[in-house]
Structures are given as C-alpha cells and as structure tokens.
Amino acid sequence: MRPLVVLAWSVVVMAGCAEKKTAPAAPPPREVEVVSLSPREVRDTGEYLGSLLSRQSVTVLPQVAGYVRRIHARPGQQVAEGAPLVEVDAREETAALDSAQAQLSSSQVNLELSRRTLARTEALHKEGLASAQELEGARAQVEAAQAASRSSAAQVTQRQVQLQFNVVRAPFAGTVGDVLVRVGDFVSASTQLTSVAQADVLEVSVSVPSPRARSMKPDTALEILDAQGKVLLTSSVFFVAPQADPRTQLVEVKAAFRNTVGLRPSELVRARIVYSVRDALQIPALAVVRQSGQPFALVVQEKEGKTVVERRPITLGALGDMAYVVEKGLKEGDLVAVSSMQALRDGMAVKVKATPPTPRAEALTNAPAGSGASVGSRR
C-alpha cells in the first residue's frame, strides 16, 4: 500500500507544477484615447424671441372726406416716394379751384383798370384838370385792387393745396400693406386706407432679464438666427431701455440692421445676444464621470515610469452640445481620457492612442427657464 500512496502523491505534485506553468500572464495596459486641453474662446450668450420693427412704417389716412374714386396701388406692391395710392373724389374741390381762379382773373382785371385810371388822373392833375382828391381816390383804388388780387391768388393757392389732398400719396418708398377700402367707399380723415412700411432697414426688439441687462453695453453683439440656429445677420445693440417692465421685469433691447435676407416687419425671429467673450478650458461631455453628484475627469499622466489614470475632481461651468466649460480642477496641457470610461480605475495603467481632434462646441449656461441664455465657443 505504501508504494501506491507515494505514487499518488507524486501525481498530485506534478499536477500542481503543471498548473503553475500554465497560469495566465497579466493583461497588457488598456489603450485609451485622450484629448489635450487648451484654452478656447467661449461666448456668454442668451437666446430670446425677438420682434422685427420697421424703422419707417405708417398707417395712411386721407386728409379730406369723400368717396373713393380710384385705387392706384395693390397690397404688397413696392412704391416710390410720392407715388399715388388712393384717389378721393375731387369734383367739389375742382369746382372751388375754378371759382377761385375766376375771382383771381377778375381782380387782376380790376387792378389793371385801376392802374390805368391812376395814370390818367396823374396826367390830368399835372395839367390842373384833376383835383388832389381825385388823385388820392385813384391811388386808393389801385391799392384796393392790389389787395383783392393778392387775396384771390391766396385763395387759388389754398384750393390747389386742398385739391392735392384728394390724391393720397406714399410718404416714402416702401411696401404697401393691405388696402382696406374699395372704390365707392366714403372715407373721412379718420378712415384707414392702407399702410406703407420700409423693410430695407429693420429693428429687432428683444426683452431680456434685468440681471442680464445690467452687464450690457451699447456695442453688445446681437445675432439673428434661422430655425436651425444658423446666423443670418449680425448687428450691435444701440438701445437698452432705462427701466424694466414693472409686470415682467424684463428690459427692452433694440438693434438695427440692413435687411438682406428678406425678413418682414412684425415677424418673430430667434435672436442671440453675446454678453461677453473669454478664453476657457473645455472638456468633452463624454469625458466626465460622476460619483455622488461630484464630477471627475480621468487624467492620463506619467507616474513612477508608468502611464496611469488619475481620477481628479473638477468644477464644471456651462454645458454645450459636446463639451463643458471647466472652471477648476484641470489646467492647460492635461491629457483627459475620452474612451473606455467605464473600465478605467484610479491608478490603472493605460496606453495612449493617437489623439483625436478636440471638439469645438457651443456651451449653454444654466439660465432661467424660457430665457434661452447660453455660453458658447465662436465657430
């Protein structure tokens, strides 16, 4: 029996040696992708709903009462300054002008007759055939005829001006709005005929929160955006209201721009105000890990001759589409891991892959709901 026990023990020892020889080797360092942090331009912005206003927009009213005889313009038509829009019946004013012109002709004839009478009276007075009283009467008649002629001329001018009011003309070049009257309608001085608006230069009016308005300057940039967020037009703020609306506590801000993209007055648009521009570090959003609400970054660095991962607490700023602004915890030149985030542990050895390009992103601030404030890097 003893030889059998020795043989069995030898088999067990040999099996143990075989297991030691086939034990797996330590895994190689995990390959990770990293980005190198460097300061980038970050814009503190706010996005709001703006209303477009025409710098020249009027409601056209007639200056006389009467029936609409003719409509010269159609809605949406581009008209030049002084172009006729609506014509009001002017037959009464025309008759009054004809009467005034006839009165002027009569007064001019009387004036000419009085002058001739004065000339004859002066000649007779020199020969002693007319008295001084007759000479003074002739002179008085000339003066009275001159006054009557001036009065008649003034009446003609007044009637001519009054007659011009029967044709309502465009006060400036612009686009005609809806025509609210039809031929045959009776209009008075309070009847709205149409409107004329100039869309070449528009203003955008935006209401911003009072705390935001305190930091604004007259040269603050304002951008008009399309539905996809693309910048259509850029201008500078020229007006910041001196007081806030007592109900909403919002402050009105205005900027003017030349309309080169076909916008229309009274249109609502997306407007973005650039409050400030600064340089700051940005970290890709996928490179941030959280534990109990505390954000961390996995920084790859050389330590004791090895490339290891260090979990470093950071303070984040605004969040954008692809990146956070880093306020504290990282510095320029740090290498931050952006791959295999769930598998990495503090102090773990890694191998750095080729560095991909750092994403450029626009970050959004933690703004009140509805304000749309944001911070972003300039593209």
Side-chain angles (χ1 to χ4, degrees):
M1 292 295 295
R2 179 170 297 180
L4 293 176
V5 172
V6 173
L7 179 61
W9 176 255
S10 300
V11 171
V12 170
V13 172
M14 292 176 65
C17 293
E19 289 180 359
K20 289 183 181 180
K21 290 181 181 179
T22 60
R30 179 181 293 272
E31 288 190 341
V32 295
E33 296 180 354
V34 298
V35 294
S36 178
L37 301 185
S38 61
R40 296 183 182 276
E41 188 179 80
V42 175
R43 303 190 306 166
D44 180 9
T45 66
E47 187 173 318
Y48 311 94
L49 186 65
S51 175
L52 297 182
L53 308 172
S54 174
R55 304 199 74 178
Q56 285 189 311
S57 178
V58 297
T59 299
V60 179
L61 305 175
Q63 293 182 270
V64 295
Y67 292 94
V68 176
R69 190 172 183 181
R70 187 176 180 184
I71 298 176
H72 295 272
R74 63 181 184 276
Q77 180 180 351
Q78 295 287 336
V79 294
E81 180 179 354
L85 303 177
V86 177
E87 183 178 341
V88 180
D89 188 8
R91 286 176 291 182
E92 183 177 349
E93 285 73 16
T94 302
L97 176 60
D98 293 341
S99 176
Q101 288 175 337
Q103 186 66 32
L104 175 60
S105 298
S106 176
S107 61
Q108 289 175 343
V109 170
N110 290 335
L111 175 59
E112 183 63 24
L113 179 59
S114 299
R115 286 173 177 172
R116 291 178 182 179
T117 301
L118 175 59
R120 287 194 300 268
T121 303
E122 288 177 344
L124 293 174
H125 180 69
K126 289 180 181 180
E127 296 177 0
L129 300 176
S131 64
Q133 184 178 1
E134 292 175 336
L135 179 60
E136 290 177 359
R139 289 174 177 171
Q141 288 179 358
V142 171
E143 292 177 358
Q146 288 175 341
S149 179
R150 289 194 297 269
S151 177
S152 298
Q155 288 291 330
V156 170
T157 302
Q158 181 182 3
R159 295 299 179 181
Q160 288 174 340
V161 173
Q162 190 71 19
L163 185 60
Q164 292 178 357
F165 294 156
N166 288 75
V167 179
V168 182
R169 300 180 180 274
F172 49 80
T175 304
V176 179
D178 189 18
V179 180
L180 305 177
V181 295
R182 298 294 181 266
V183 175
D185 290 349
F186 182 83
V187 297
S188 63
S190 60
T191 304
Q192 294 185 8
L193 302 179
T194 183
S195 63
V196 177
Q198 190 178 76
D200 293 340
V201 179
L202 297 179
E203 291 180 359
V204 57
S205 176
V206 177
S207 295
V208 303
S210 298
R212 283 294 205 175
R214 299 189 193 111
S215 61
M216 294 190 64
K217 300 178 181 178
D219 59 348
T220 301
L222 186 147
E223 300 171 343
I224 304 297
L225 311 177
D226 63 7
Q228 289 72 37
K230 180 182 177 181
V231 178
L232 296 176
L233 297 166
T234 302
S235 183
S236 298
V237 171
F238 73 89
F239 171 77
V240 180
Q243 60 184 13
D245 187 304
R247 295 173 299 174
T248 63
Q249 290 301 296
L250 299 177
V251 178
E252 184 182 23
V253 174
K254 289 185 179 182
F257 59 90
R258 185 163 296 279
N259 184 16
T260 59
V261 293
L263 299 175
R264 296 180 179 273
S266 301
E267 186 176 345
L268 297 179
V269 295
R270 294 172 61 184
R272 182 166 60 201
I273 298 177
V274 183
Y275 293 103
S276 64
V277 179
R278 65 188 177 99
D279 288 337
L281 296 178
Q282 295 185 61
I283 181 175
L286 57 84
V288 178
V289 295
R290 297 180 183 271
Q291 182 176 356
S292 300
Q294 170 65 47
F296 293 88
L298 300 178
V299 181
V300 177
Q301 60 182 0
E302 295 294 330
K303 189 174 183 180
E304 298 179 356
K306 297 181 180 180
T307 302
V308 297
V309 172
E310 177 186 354
R311 192 179 69 168
R312 189 178 300 176
I314 57 177
T315 301
L316 299 178
L319 170 64
D321 295 336
M322 298 176 60
Y324 282 99
V325 173
V326 180
E327 302 294 348
K328 293 181 181 179
L330 297 175
K331 63 182 184 298
E332 182 179 356
D334 281 343
L335 299 179
V336 177
V338 294
S339 66
S340 305
M341 305 301 298
Q342 301 300 324
L344 298 180
R345 298 292 182 268
D346 189 23
M348 180 178 178
V350 294
K351 179 180 179 181
V352 176
K353 286 185 180 180
T355 304
T358 302
R360 299 176 62 85
E362 183 167 328
L364 306 176
T365 60
N366 297 323
S371 68
S374 66
V375 172
S377 62
R378 180 172 300 166
R379 297 178 185 271

